């Protein structure tokens, strides 16, 4: 059944587990995460970015998700990831999304508040939940205390932000970043900051840029011609710790892209005679499903639906 992120995340927060928000980019990603959720009996957040809307078409995405989600016995949410403006938010709410993220993290504090408040007003009217972001996603290796203070989420500012905007969930910056190159040296997150933020806020917290960039997948991709030297993600023990300190939603995109790419490369290399797209993409879809199932177990959302 189709529900809001708020519904999914409040249960997660109360029971101290996290739910993955998995970015879809094509039919196979969508099928992989749906099948994984069914097999793991996990609630599911389907995350769609503006660039995926541009790539796949809003109506195609909404029709696909609605048809599937309405028949599923599990709670499923259709979530706009990194919405940047009110027009996109309005378009997604009208199309049937159950949750939207307004990402004003690049704006000044007051501007972020003003934009977020506007979105909350629009969304509350329709019973749609809203996620906002405060702080900038960036690694914290080789940074000074001053630099960290300038871009990581400040706990007191987060409290004021949430009080004034009434958002349902907040994405926090504690040292993660998007993509496959998150750390040059030892992976490092600011857990003390996360703890302090959690103490001040009563709403679910979100971790973006949380892919682990599994080294076996990187090696496989590189073996078949990829150039992904130095790719590195957030270790699983850091994810476990982040959940124990109060993270309730975990965004994953890169690990799906890597599993897809590594497996497509392998399939084409070992079966050069095939040219049916379904034969090329089935193993990649299976590999992504395995990644998602493992995440659901790691996050503790398996058997919570
Ligand atoms: O933060 C979300 C994604 O990893 C970036 O997605 O390439 O679809 O904009 P995009
Ligand atoms: P990754 O790049 O670590 O998968 O993060 C994805 C994300 O935050 C999507 O919003
Ligand atoms: Zn993100």
């Amino acid at each position: 059944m189709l529900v809001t992120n708020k519904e999914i995340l409040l249960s997660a927060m109360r029971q101290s587990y996290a739910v993955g928000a998995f970015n879809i980019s094509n039919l196979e990603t969508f099928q992989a995460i749906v099948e994984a959720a069914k097999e793991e009996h996990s609630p599911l957040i389907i995350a769609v970015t503006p660039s995926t809307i541009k790539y796949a078409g809003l109506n195609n995405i909404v029709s696909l998700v609605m048809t599937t989600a309405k028949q599923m016995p599990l709670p499923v949410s259709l979530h706009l990831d990194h919405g940047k403006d009110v027009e996109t938010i309005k378009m997604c709410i009208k199309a049937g999304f159950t949750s939207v993220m307004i990402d004003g993290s690049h704006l000044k504090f007051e501007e972020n508040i003003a934009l977020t408040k506007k979105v909350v007003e629009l969304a509350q009217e329709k019973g749609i939940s809203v996620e906002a972001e405060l702080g900038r996603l960036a690694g914290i290796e080789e940074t000074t205390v001053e630099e960290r203070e300038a871009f990581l989420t400040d706990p007191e500012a987060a409290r004021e932000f949430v009080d004034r905007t009434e958002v349902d969930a907040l994405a926090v910056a504690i040292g993660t970043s998007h993509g496959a190159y998150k750390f040059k040296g030892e992976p490092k997150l600011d857990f003390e900051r996360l703890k302090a933020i959690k103490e001040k806020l009563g709403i679910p917290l979100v971790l973006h840029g949380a892919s682990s960039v599994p080294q076996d997948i990187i090696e496989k991709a590189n073996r078949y011609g990829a150039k992904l030297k130095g790719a590195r993600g957030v270790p699983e023990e850091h994810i476990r710790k982040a959940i124990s300190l109060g993270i309730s939603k975990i965004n994953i995109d890169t690990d799906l892209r890597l599993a897809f790419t590594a497996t497509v490369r392998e399939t084409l290399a070992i079966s050069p005679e095939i040219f049916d797209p379904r034969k090329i993409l089935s193993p990649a879809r299976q590999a992504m499903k395995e990644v998602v199932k493992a995440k659901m177990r790691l996050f503790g959302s398996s058997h919570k639906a």
Side-chain angles (χ1 to χ4, degrees), residues 21 23 47 49 81-82 101 131 137 176-180 182 207-213 234 249-257:
N23 286 85
T49 60
D81 189 29
H82 293 286
M101 175 191 187
E131 172 183 329
L137 289 201
T176 61
S177 56
H178 291 121
K182 300 186 194 298
L207 192 63
H208 283 246
S211 278
S212 290
V213 188
V234 182
K249 171 173 176 277
I250 301 189
N251 286 21
I252 301 291
D253 189 351
T254 296
D255 282 353
L256 298 181
R257 295 177 178 193

Side-chain angles (χ1 to χ4, degrees), residues 195-260:
K195 217 168 167 180
I197 297 169
K198 182 68 192 169
E199 276 163 14
K200 296 205 181 263
L201 302 185
I203 60 167
L205 301 181
V206 181
L207 192 63
H208 283 246
S211 278
S212 290
V213 188
Q215 291 305 299
D216 55 330
I217 295 181
I218 295 298
E219 278 156 26
K220 180 160 113 179
N222 285 343
R223 194 157 61 242
Y224 294 107
K227 291 203 167 87
L228 294 167
K229 199 163 162 268
R232 190 180 270 207
V234 182
E236 292 193 349
E237 65 266 25
H238 284 32
I239 296 292
R240 269 187 216 104
K241 183 156 187 191
I243 298 170
S244 77
L245 293 174
I247 290 290
S248 306
K249 171 173 176 277
I250 301 189
N251 286 21
I252 301 291
D253 189 351
T254 296
D255 282 353
L256 298 181
R257 295 177 178 193
L258 291 170
F260 179 89

Side-chain angles (χ1 to χ4, degrees), residues 126-174:
K126 309 271 182 206
I128 304 299
S129 49
V130 179
E131 172 183 329
E133 180 165 322
L134 187 65
R136 274 203 346 257
L137 289 201
I140 53 174
E141 305 160 277
E142 298 160 17
T143 51
T144 62
V145 175
E146 292 72 31
E147 283 165 335
R148 284 204 283 283
E149 288 308 319
F151 60 74
L152 298 187
T153 308
D154 174 67
E156 187 48 35
R159 192 198 51 74
E160 183 184 343
F161 185 90
V162 170
D163 283 352
R164 288 175 59 191
T165 58
E166 296 179 28
V167 282
D168 302 296
L170 186 71
V172 294
I174 57 163

